[in-house]
Amino acid sequence: MIFKEVFQLLIFNAQRPTLNPPSVAAATYGAAGIQRPMFKVNAPAAIVFGFVTSLSAQFTPAFLQNDSYWGDGKAEFNFYDAKIVREGQARPCEVLHILVREPFDPKQWTKVDDWKRPGVLPVVKLNQILHVPTGTYAYQQMHSSFWKIDNGLLLKWSLTSNDGSGNTFKEMRRFGEQLAFNWHTYWEGMADGSENIALPANGYFYDELPLRVRTIDFSKPNGEFGIQLAPTMINSKKEAIVFKPAKVSFASREEAIEVDLEHAGGKDHFVLDREFPFLLREWSAADRSHLKLKRSLKIDYWNYNKPGDRERALKDPMLRHPD
């Protein structure tokens, strides 16, 4: 089985844009303006070992591969009552998480309309949408992550953030075990830039957690394992991407699974349903932010875009996950 996965990864890497060797003095940019990593992979073994190390944590792609759940042409639509810390205070608001399977073009790094186009990869995407009022203005932010369903690798994330001061855009693209990071912000000293970052073994981003905690191997009633964790990117500044040791532990209770994450910033606590799809019911973050699920739908939400459709969808019992 592992050789099949490795072969698929080699095919993916063969389709990605050509990587620049370290001797190139200036960065080059693709059509989207994203810097390609200035490094060189000399042998397939480097790809193979990079893939194997990514499997050593207890996150499993099986959750993403459940065709009966993700292949129904609908999205998981989760509304959370939330308190999100901005400007040093916890602000009451609503947070929306949208999870959906879609076709991904690794050459354009975009969704495609034709599932059958050669080279298209199936991914699961998570959109985290935050509208956080702060007095006379609001933070409006969306973070998107894209994972390959065959092996669970994070291919890309992007962030848009706007508030009463300005707009920010950040994006990361994965090339093997390297990350190409690009940013545009309204802050002095970090207006524009790109850098390449080495991804450590068991390296994950904090903003992956709403999905990652649901992909833990729950075949045992409890357990713990270590990862390397980068901080949240959901903010308007260019933050340094530094991976630091963190510990994940989980325990199955009578009616829920509880997951704890101990990291450099403190401790996060997650409460999940005991059974698949392991809905994220509650998230208490180290910074005092808090999310509590108030309604979960399975819905083709792109067809619910007329006035009153939100209320109609929320009232439809056929769209609801069991409470």
Side-chain angles (χ1 to χ4, degrees):
M1 183 67 177
I2 213 164
F3 291 104
K4 178 181 177 184
E5 299 290 355
V6 168
F7 177 75
Q8 292 172 332
L9 184 62
L10 290 171
I11 294 297
F12 166 66
N13 279 276
Q15 295 170 339
R16 71 187 185 196
T18 302
L19 303 179
N20 300 303
S23 59
V24 177
T28 59
Y29 292 80
I34 303 300
Q35 183 180 356
R36 292 173 179 170
M38 298 177 64
F39 71 99
K40 189 175 183 179
V41 178
N42 292 314
I47 300 172
V48 172
F49 287 123
F51 172 75
V52 171
T53 56
S54 71
L55 287 181
S56 58
Q58 291 188 19
F59 298 121
T60 170
F63 177 82
L64 306 175
Q65 295 167 357
N66 189 306
D67 287 335
S68 63
Y69 189 73
W70 298 112
D72 64 355
K74 297 181 179 181
E76 187 183 284
F77 216 71
N78 297 321
F79 297 90
Y80 290 92
D81 276 327
K83 291 184 178 180
I84 301 297
V85 173
R86 292 291 182 268
E87 309 294 344
Q89 296 184 37
R91 316 284 181 156
C93 62
E94 179 181 84
V95 170
L96 176 62
H97 288 180
I98 304 172
L99 277 155
V100 64
R101 181 184 287 184
E102 65 183 28
F104 183 87
D105 184 346
K107 295 181 179 179
Q108 299 182 77
W109 300 85
T110 62
K111 176 185 176 181
V112 297
D113 295 326
D114 183 6
W115 277 92
K116 298 180 181 179
R117 183 187 301 177
V120 168
L121 302 172
V123 301
V124 167
K125 176 180 71 176
L126 167 62
N127 288 339
Q128 300 180 63
I129 302 172
L130 300 85
H131 178 84
V132 188
T134 53
T136 56
Y137 63 99
Y139 284 82
Q140 300 181 95
Q141 299 167 316
M142 187 172 89
H143 187 285
S144 296
S145 298
F146 303 78
W147 297 271
K148 285 185 71 182
I149 68 169
D150 62 347
N151 55 22
L153 291 180
L154 178 71
L155 293 180
K156 168 187 171 180
W157 60 255
S158 64
L159 171 80
T160 59
S161 176
N162 68 79
D163 52 47
S165 298
N167 296 318
T168 287
F169 174 76
K170 295 184 278 190
E171 185 181 66
M172 183 280 294
R173 298 182 180 187
R174 180 186 185 124
F175 294 81
E177 296 306 312
Q178 297 281 327
L179 308 176
F181 179 39
N182 186 60
W183 65 89
H184 305 275
T185 88
Y186 59 82
W187 292 96
E188 183 180 7
M190 54 184 72
D192 301 277
S194 296
E195 63 185 13
N196 302 321
I197 299 164
L199 180 66
N202 297 334
Y204 300 94
F205 283 86
Y206 183 88
D207 303 310
E208 295 185 70
L209 292 175
L211 177 126
R212 284 293 185 193
V213 296
R214 298 170 64 184
T215 70
I216 293 172
D217 180 1
F218 294 124
S219 59
K220 296 181 179 179
N222 54 70
E224 65 178 46
F225 56 93
I227 61 173
Q228 297 290 318
L229 190 68
T232 180
M233 297 288 113
I234 304 179
N235 52 61
S236 62
K237 293 186 176 181
K238 183 266 173 183
E239 299 289 350
I241 297 180
V242 179
F243 291 86
K244 297 182 179 180
K247 184 178 75 171
V248 180
S249 59
F250 64 93
S252 296
R253 309 300 185 193
E254 185 175 350
E255 296 183 354
I257 298 172
E258 297 187 15
V259 180
D260 287 319
L261 174 72
E262 298 177 46
H263 55 93
K267 182 176 180 179
D268 283 46
H269 181 73
F270 304 84
V271 179
L272 314 178
D273 282 351
R274 270 192 60 107
E275 305 297 332
F276 184 91
F278 309 113
L279 286 177
L280 175 59
R281 294 285 175 176
E282 196 165 357
W283 178 6
S284 301
D287 73 348
R288 296 181 291 113
S289 294
H290 183 262
L291 275 66
K292 187 169 185 178
L293 186 66
K294 60 179 178 180
R295 183 59 51 85
S296 179
L297 307 178
K298 200 74 186 309
I299 184 174
D300 52 337
Y301 66 92
W302 44 91
N303 291 322
Y304 287 75
N305 53 23
K306 301 179 181 63
D309 273 359
R310 173 187 164 109
E311 292 73 18
R312 180 166 65 89
L314 289 171
K315 291 178 180 178
D316 188 343
M318 299 302 294
L319 300 178
R320 298 179 192 172
H321 276 110
D323 291 328

